[in-house]
Amino acid sequence: MRIHQSADHLSDTLQAVLDGRLVPAAFQRPYVWSQSDVTALWESLLNGWPIGSFLIWKPGAGVDLAKAGRSRLGPIQAAGASRWTGMILDGQQRLTTLAWSFLAADAARPDPMSLFDAERATWAGDDVIVADGEQRRVLWVPKSDASSGWRIPVGLLGDLALLLPALNALVSKHQGQIPKDVFDWFDAASHAVRSAKITTTTIEDATPQEAVTAFAHVARVGVPVTPDEVAAALAWAAP
């Protein structure tokens, strides 16, 4: 087993998620975040605040990947197990939230009945999360109001190739120039997202038992796991 830490661009880790190459370990908790949790994560990103570290497991030879990993992370269906680059032991809630946030408006979405309860309540309801240049913040609004004012889908902040056409479309809609303070906010928000870095601890060539030990330790110093959750993880790791 080898353990190492790295400072990575959040965008690189997120791309691995969106490609289905980074998946949750099968024993991970269900999604539990509410809209307020999502907003708080985005506030941290846009202010340049740390959003916490991530723990990734790269299993050693002989591990049954199909058993070890879950087939879906938020709206993203996992790629074939042969393409997986790692499994998420800590950071699933944040990465799931970002996967939903960056999902294209025209992308295929899972059947709402296949989602976890909190996931369905947060992401399959009548509200959507937008970046509002006039209010200079990220907020949830009814779908019918998502294109009002100077609003764009929040996920566009991570990609200049999508952001600039969206801003041009806003200018056309308003029949004039974008106000400088609005443009400056979008520019700063996009830069904050695209330049965000995270600390990743990677466990390589570890057995399932070693992965569970790492998971239990991290969970004790973060959000405590219950005895039942640890027992389920140990049962999952058993030969």
Side-chain angles (χ1 to χ4, degrees):
M1 180 177 69
R2 186 167 71 93
I3 301 175
H4 63 88
Q5 283 192 325
S6 57
D8 304 319
H9 277 100
L10 175 61
S11 58
D12 293 335
T13 300
L14 183 60
Q15 191 60 58
V17 168
L18 297 177
D19 289 344
R21 294 181 286 112
L22 192 59
V23 300
F27 64 81
Q28 281 283 292
R29 297 180 175 104
Y31 188 79
V32 297
W33 276 23
S34 65
Q35 289 185 358
S36 62
D37 296 317
V38 174
T39 303
L41 176 64
W42 272 100
E43 288 176 348
S44 294
L45 272 176
L46 299 188
N47 282 287
W49 300 334
I51 62 168
S53 59
F54 295 83
L55 180 64
I56 305 298
W57 172 41
K58 294 187 176 181
V63 175
D64 184 349
L65 297 180
K67 174 188 174 186
R70 191 182 294 157
S71 62
R72 182 177 63 81
L73 179 69
I76 307 301
Q77 191 67 29
S82 62
R83 293 184 55 216
W84 292 356
T85 57
M87 297 186 195
I88 305 162
L89 298 183
D90 185 57
Q92 176 200 192
Q93 303 290 325
R94 286 163 285 160
L95 289 176
T96 301
T97 293
L98 292 172
W100 277 109
S101 296
F102 283 91
L103 186 68
D106 58 353
R109 294 170 181 263
D111 179 347
M113 297 311 298
S114 71
L115 303 178
F116 296 117
D117 291 344
E119 194 173 27
R120 184 166 54 251
T122 300
W123 296 104
D126 295 327
D127 294 342
V128 293
I129 188 167
V130 298
D132 190 314
E134 191 170 21
Q135 296 192 43
R136 298 175 184 77
R137 64 190 181 105
V138 166
L139 69 160
W140 291 89
V141 299
K143 291 177 181 177
S144 58
D145 293 337
S147 58
S148 300
W150 294 95
R151 292 173 177 169
I152 61 171
V154 70
L156 300 187
L157 294 176
D159 190 337
L160 279 180
L162 298 176
L163 175 63
L164 295 179
L167 295 184
N168 287 332
L170 284 180
V171 171
S172 297
K173 184 181 76 171
H174 289 277
Q175 299 180 339
Q177 292 186 337
I178 185 170
K180 184 177 184 303
D181 58 341
V182 171
F183 178 84
D184 287 346
W185 183 83
F186 279 126
D187 183 52
S190 177
H191 181 267
V193 174
R194 290 181 290 108
S195 63
K197 285 199 167 184
I198 56 173
T199 299
T200 304
T201 300
T202 303
I203 306 172
E204 293 186 342
D205 299 325
T207 66
Q209 290 85 355
E210 290 168 331
V212 167
T213 298
F215 158 76
H217 174 76
V218 169
R220 278 200 300 271
V221 299
V223 178
V225 294
T226 67
D228 286 346
E229 287 173 324
V230 173
L234 289 172
W236 165 86

